[in-house]
Amino acid sequence: MWHKNHIIRRAAVSFASITVLTGLAGADQPAAHAASAGSGQSPAPASIPASIPASIPASIPVPASTSTSVPSSTAPRAFTPTATATAAPRGRTGSGSNGRLRRDPRLPGAEIFQGEAFDTCHTPSSSLMRAWHGTSPFGAVGVYIGGHGRACPDQPNLTDSWVRSVDRMGWKVLPIYVGSQSPCVEAERKRRYAMSHKAPGRRGEREGRDAVAAAEKLGMAEHSAIYLDMEAYDNSSTRCAATTLRFVQGWNRAVRKAGYHPGFYSSANSGIAHMNGARKAGSKDLPAAVWFADWKAPASLNHKYLDAGAWHPHRRIHQHDGNVTRTYGGRRLNIDRNLVDAPVAVVP
């Protein structure tokens, strides 16, 4: 995510390895959770139930950004951003964990944003958000609401009043939580936050509850999405991948239990490939939405590390550009750029 210096590598996790990880992934879970407890080329696309409308285009063009201010009347848009809490069409959505990943997240009350978003290390001021609204191509902003692994832990602008203010302006908010990192996290500056192999599921549950508390403090209501930021890690290491999966599952359980939607951010060829493999292996308690980073790929909600029918519809974000400086409305900021069709914060 912010200031991550993404490492693009050719790690591979075989389906057989993921199956082994699935068996390991319940090792430290309490009995109460027992019942609910990637690589190269993607296999043939999974089928999408006929009752669910396909809404992820093969590629959505993103207009070229500019480093100069753009008048409000000519602000570029890839398409009109929308957010809705209306019920999705009824129909068969599948059963179990994998079925849940293919149904419309509006069924349990999520709000969906479709359009372009930016994220930045420090939450921007309300005045900058006002200057960028209508002059930039963006309609949503990613903010770092909590977690001991945040690169910018001091967030003077991030308050409940800021959230309400930008919501009234018309912005949508993508809450991001940066907690413990994988034991085999690749970025050296993130290794101080690497989790141990001891009881990762329980650690994930504790941090999931902390993420919910942070969202509640900012006035983000139930049915909001919260995205767990897990920096690139070596998903070819069986033990490390199993520990990471248990942590993510525990985090997801706690967030879901509180009535929120757990999302997951990671590099496409690392954490996203790992989650996709875990999904194919039948793992439970997986993220409700995925946010994949690939700065070398064109802006698109499809990716070779995600099967076509997985996390669909309205469950994907692509961070396609990063560490770029843009100026709109006379205000300059260093950002990452994202293409979004996914749940956001619900602000009453």
Side-chain angles (χ1 to χ4, degrees):
M1 191 65 75
W2 189 249
H3 289 165
K4 349 186 116 42
N5 299 321
H6 297 290
I7 299 173
I8 305 299
R9 55 187 174 75
R10 298 287 184 183
V13 181
S14 68
F15 182 77
S17 297
I18 289 292
T19 304
V20 172
L21 300 183
T22 303
L24 294 173
D28 74 322
Q29 303 303 332
H33 295 303
S36 65
S39 72
Q41 297 298 322
S42 297
S47 61
I48 302 173
S51 60
I52 299 179
S55 63
I56 299 181
S59 179
I60 300 176
V62 178
S65 295
T66 174
S67 59
T68 59
S69 300
V70 181
S72 178
S73 60
T74 60
R77 283 265 189 247
F79 54 86
T80 302
T82 61
T84 177
T86 58
R90 293 185 179 182
R92 183 173 60 86
T93 61
S95 61
S97 178
N98 289 352
R100 183 166 59 218
L101 301 181
R102 291 196 300 268
R103 74 182 184 183
D104 192 322
R106 287 176 294 179
L107 288 170
E111 288 190 7
I112 305 301
F113 172 78
Q114 295 176 304
E116 295 185 61
F118 73 93
D119 63 90
T120 187
C121 199
H122 286 102
T123 301
S125 66
S126 295
S127 62
L128 183 141
M129 297 299 291
R130 189 172 295 108
W132 276 37
H133 186 254
T135 65
S136 77
F138 307 113
V141 57
V143 296
Y144 294 85
I145 67 170
H148 66 109
R150 283 188 295 181
C152 300
D154 296 326
Q155 298 282 345
N157 292 325
L158 186 55
T159 63
D160 57 344
S161 61
W162 181 92
V163 172
R164 290 194 303 272
S165 174
V166 298
D167 180 75
R168 287 194 297 268
M169 293 178 202
W171 290 96
K172 295 301 172 183
V173 178
L174 293 158
I176 306 161
Y177 183 89
V178 192
S180 295
Q181 297 297 297
S182 172
C184 50
V185 62
E186 294 179 347
E188 184 176 356
R189 60 192 164 67
K190 290 292 184 181
R191 289 175 187 164
R192 70 173 77 176
Y193 308 115
M195 69 188 78
S196 72
H197 292 283
K198 182 179 180 180
R202 290 194 288 275
R203 176 187 291 272
E205 290 176 351
R206 288 195 302 271
E207 294 192 23
R209 290 191 292 270
D210 183 58
V212 169
E216 290 176 337
K217 184 177 180 180
L218 292 170
M220 300 172 183
E222 287 188 19
H223 307 302
S224 292
I226 309 174
Y227 292 87
L228 174 65
D229 184 333
M230 187 66 67
E231 296 299 309
Y233 55 95
D234 182 6
N235 58 12
S236 67
S237 168
T238 301
R239 186 185 185 205
C240 177
T243 294
T244 306
L245 179 59
R246 289 199 296 270
F247 174 87
V248 173
Q249 289 170 317
W251 194 89
N252 293 341
R253 280 195 299 272
V255 171
R256 277 197 177 98
K257 185 176 180 180
Y260 290 71
H261 298 294
F264 180 77
Y265 168 93
S266 191
S267 295
N269 62 349
S270 176
I272 300 302
H274 184 195
M275 292 301 114
N276 192 54
R279 179 194 62 81
K280 290 191 289 187
S283 295
K284 305 295 184 182
D285 299 319
L286 295 181
V290 291
W291 187 339
F292 58 96
D294 188 342
W295 295 1
K296 295 184 177 180
S300 172
L301 294 171
N302 294 332
H303 200 278
K304 65 181 180 179
Y305 289 111
L306 282 171
D307 292 342
W311 288 285
H312 174 80
H314 309 308
R315 295 176 180 272
R316 295 187 181 190
I317 304 173
H318 178 194
Q319 186 182 85
H320 57 85
D321 194 13
N323 197 22
V324 295
T325 299
R326 295 291 182 267
T327 302
Y328 300 104
R331 302 294 295 274
R332 183 180 178 90
L333 190 65
N334 198 249
I335 61 170
D336 295 339
R337 299 168 60 212
N338 306 273
L339 184 62
V340 182
D341 182 8
V344 295
V346 176
V347 182

